[in-house]
Amino acid sequence: MPRTLTIQRSTVPSAERANYRERLRALRSHYSAANCRFWVFEEASLPGAFIEFTEADSEEALTVAHANAPHKILDPARVYQEVEL
C-alpha cells in the first residue's frame, strides 16, 4: 500500500510564534505515538509562513491519527498518496 500524506499551511504572526511552536510539539508527539511522521517547514523568504506535512504508511492510519489529534487540521480528507515511479 502506498504511503499517504496531508499538507497544512499556516501563517503565524510573530507574537503567536511561541504558542504555535508549542502546538507543533504536541502534534509531533501525538503523530509519533500514532506511527506517523510529522515535519514543519518555514518559508525562507517569508517568516511566519509554515507548511506542515503528516505522513503515514496507510490512509487509515493517517485518518485515525488526524481524528484523534489534539489540534485539528483544516481539511484532513485531502490525502495525497505516493506515486510509484
Side-chain angles (χ1 to χ4, degrees), residues 4 26-38 54-70:
T4 59
L27 286 170
R28 181 181 59 193
S29 264
H30 165 74
Y31 288 119
S32 179
N35 295 317
C36 297
R37 278 114 8 233
F38 182 70
T54 310
E55 180 197 23
D57 293 330
S58 71
E59 185 172 349
E60 179 182 359
L62 189 59
T63 300
V64 169
H66 282 322
N68 296 318

Side-chain angles (χ1 to χ4, degrees):
M1 183 174 281
R3 295 183 298 177
T4 59
L5 175 80
T6 55
I7 302 168
Q8 171 77 39
R9 289 178 177 82
S10 300
T11 303
V12 181
S14 58
E16 295 181 29
R17 198 174 190 77
N19 288 335
Y20 177 69
R21 290 180 61 91
E22 189 61 36
R23 177 171 101 50
L24 292 175
R25 283 189 282 277
L27 286 170
R28 181 181 59 193
S29 264
H30 165 74
Y31 288 119
S32 179
N35 295 317
C36 297
R37 278 114 8 233
F38 182 70
W39 301 279
V40 180
F41 294 83
E42 183 174 20
E43 187 172 334
S45 63
L46 186 59
F50 295 91
I51 188 164
E52 304 166 24
F53 298 92
T54 310
E55 180 197 23
D57 293 330
S58 71
E59 185 172 349
E60 179 182 359
L62 189 59
T63 300
V64 169
H66 282 322
N68 296 318
H71 305 282
K72 304 301 179 200
I73 68 169
L74 293 177
D75 193 359
R78 181 171 267 175
V79 175
Y80 296 85
Q81 292 187 335
E82 182 179 24
V83 175
E84 294 293 329
L85 302 177

